[in-house]
Amino acid sequence: MIRMKEDEKYFKNISERERAIFEGAITMGALFHQFIGTPISLKTADGLEKAIKEAMELQPCIREVWVKIDRKILSEVDNKYQYVSLNGDMLDVKVLSVFGDHKAVIRMQFIEELQYPLMYVEDVD
Amino acid sequence: MIRMKEDEKYFKNISERERAIFEGAITMGALFHQFIGTPISLKTADGLEKAIKEAMELQPCIREVWVKIDRKILSEVDNKYQYVSLNGDMLDVKVLSVFGDHKAVIRMQFIEELQYPLMYVEDVD
Amino acid sequence: MIRMKEDEKYFKNISERERAIFEGAITMGALFHQFIGTPISLKTADGLEKAIKEAMELQPCIREVWVKIDRKILSEVDNKYQYVSLNGDMLDVKVLSVFGDHKAVIRMQFIEELQYPLMYVEDVD
Amino acid sequence: MIRMKEDEKYFKNISERERAIFEGAITMGALFHQFIGTPISLKTADGLEKAIKEAMELQPCIREVWVKIDRKILSEVDNKYQYVSLNGDMLDVKVLSVFGDHKAVIRMQFIEELQYPLMYVEDVD
């Protein structure tokens, strides 16, 4: 890993593990609010998943992003326009962030019980 | 063309030509405000252009969308993170909308003289 | 009205009436895709309506914008977090655009029958 | 503090301090990507700052948000339209998040040297 000068300057008050959590969380918040509202249908879902993945993998410390858009919801769209706006209940996302020797997997998933697209730490070491 | 009941109900006060202009303009405004801010680099530009195109072609009356993101600007990014947020001065977009026998080509382009990403009607019949 | 040089250059192929429709439509598309996804609750709805209105009134030819966010939907939110993401079915918006002697009122409203936040021309002269 | 069942279920692998960092980071990423692109001018800056603050304070564990939009940049806008799109170099934001006995202050600031709107942990205990 290339340690940058700004790591020393701006992040000296947190641990490597905390940094991994921090960067993963930023990316998850960013992803949701950048792409919610995008027009989507069954036939464009593959391309949008890939574009979201590639965009968010550019962010600092992000090693990999997995995006799944719920095809069942898309297949049930029955307005006359044959598409919908991307919504929190259609998204299942994992973000792997790495800093130093530590990695964190941040997850976003719509939790039925909470009626809320929850972002949480699925795994961290 | 399949004429829908809501065309009669909601659009009877405008002509077919005006409808083509209307739908193209909506899509251009939507495109800009949906995707501005997206992380982008030289290596993700192709995929993002395609995803934007596919998303916006879902909108009513939109026959085709062309998106060009300025590679020169992307190649000159010199922050340490090797990416930037998609910005109005990087985008050149055309939207072809069709209604009835009429079509409109809406264009967005950053105009240096205006220092502004201008949206205008490039062609209409 | 101050006619600008770029009006001659970029908009000579459309009428004043068409220009009013064009600018109103851009603003409606922009509004939807800029603000969808914003966290909102009963207590923040007034401020968000005002901020949306003020932002969109900056756009070219926009004389006035009215934004209503559905308080009934907000009052029924029953997740534990007491807020939701702004959604197309909560919005009722009118945009008044004026160019030359012509004005257009663009409306966006969630139409139950269509299950879609329809943007249409409510009035134009 | 009311501890919720989902805190036990989804966040048992991180400490209270890490949770504060996590939630603050999500909110900062969310804020940037929700509001970048919003039309803004000197006269609308106060209202937009307030709306951003109120929206982001709704998110889990967020106690307070401070938003400053650079008035100097806004006062130098010299396009004919008298407004611009909100951009990363105009924003200075602090987010205070609290979980249990721990709090974190997340900051976003445009760092000239990096040519990048850096998000970092300004303070945490």
Side-chain angles (χ1 to χ4, degrees), chain D residues 31-107:
Chain D
L31 185 156
F32 184 91
H33 289 271
Q34 183 63 57
F35 293 104
I36 287 300
T38 305
I40 184 163
S41 74
L42 270 182
K43 72 175 184 147
T44 69
D46 283 355
L48 186 59
E49 284 175 346
K50 190 163 167 288
I52 294 175
K53 171 190 172 67
E54 288 183 358
M56 304 322 290
E57 288 178 350
L58 292 174
Q59 302 229 138
C61 306
I62 304 305
R63 181 72 56 87
E64 192 158 2
V65 175
W66 299 263
V67 180
K68 283 199 295 189
I69 299 171
D70 191 322
R71 299 302 195 276
K72 189 159 175 301
I73 294 177
L74 296 181
S75 71
E76 291 166 1
V77 170
D78 68 345
N79 65 41
K80 297 181 182 182
Y81 304 95
Q82 299 298 307
Y83 79 95
V84 285
S85 289
L86 185 66
N87 218 326
D89 61 358
M90 301 173 196
L91 277 171
D92 186 345
V93 179
K94 280 205 254 193
V95 170
L96 168 63
S97 59
V98 179
F99 190 81
D101 295 331
H102 291 267
K103 59 180 208 292
V105 178
I106 312 301
R107 177 85 174 265

Side-chain angles (χ1 to χ4, degrees), chain B residues 33 37 79 81 83 114 116 118, chain D residues 33 37 79 81 83 114 116 118:
Chain B
H33 289 272
N79 65 40
Y81 304 95
Y83 78 96
L114 304 174
Y116 187 81
L118 190 71
Chain D
H33 289 271
N79 65 41
Y81 304 95
Y83 79 95
L114 303 174
Y116 187 80
L118 190 71

Side-chain angles (χ1 to χ4, degrees), chain A residues 41-53:
Chain A
S41 75
L42 270 182
K43 74 177 182 146
T44 68
D46 283 354
L48 186 59
E49 285 175 345
K50 189 162 167 290
I52 295 175
K53 171 190 173 66

Side-chain angles (χ1 to χ4, degrees), chain B residues 24 27-28 31 62 64-66 93-97 104-106:
Chain B
T27 287
M28 195 61 96
L31 185 156
I62 304 306
E64 191 157 4
V65 175
W66 298 264
V93 179
K94 279 205 256 193
V95 170
L96 168 62
S97 59
V105 178
I106 312 300

Side-chain angles (χ1 to χ4, degrees), chain A residues 13-24:
Chain A
N13 51 4
I14 59 172
S15 70
E16 291 189 345
R17 176 182 146 120
E18 287 167 338
R19 180 74 186 279
I21 293 171
F22 178 76
E23 298 292 350

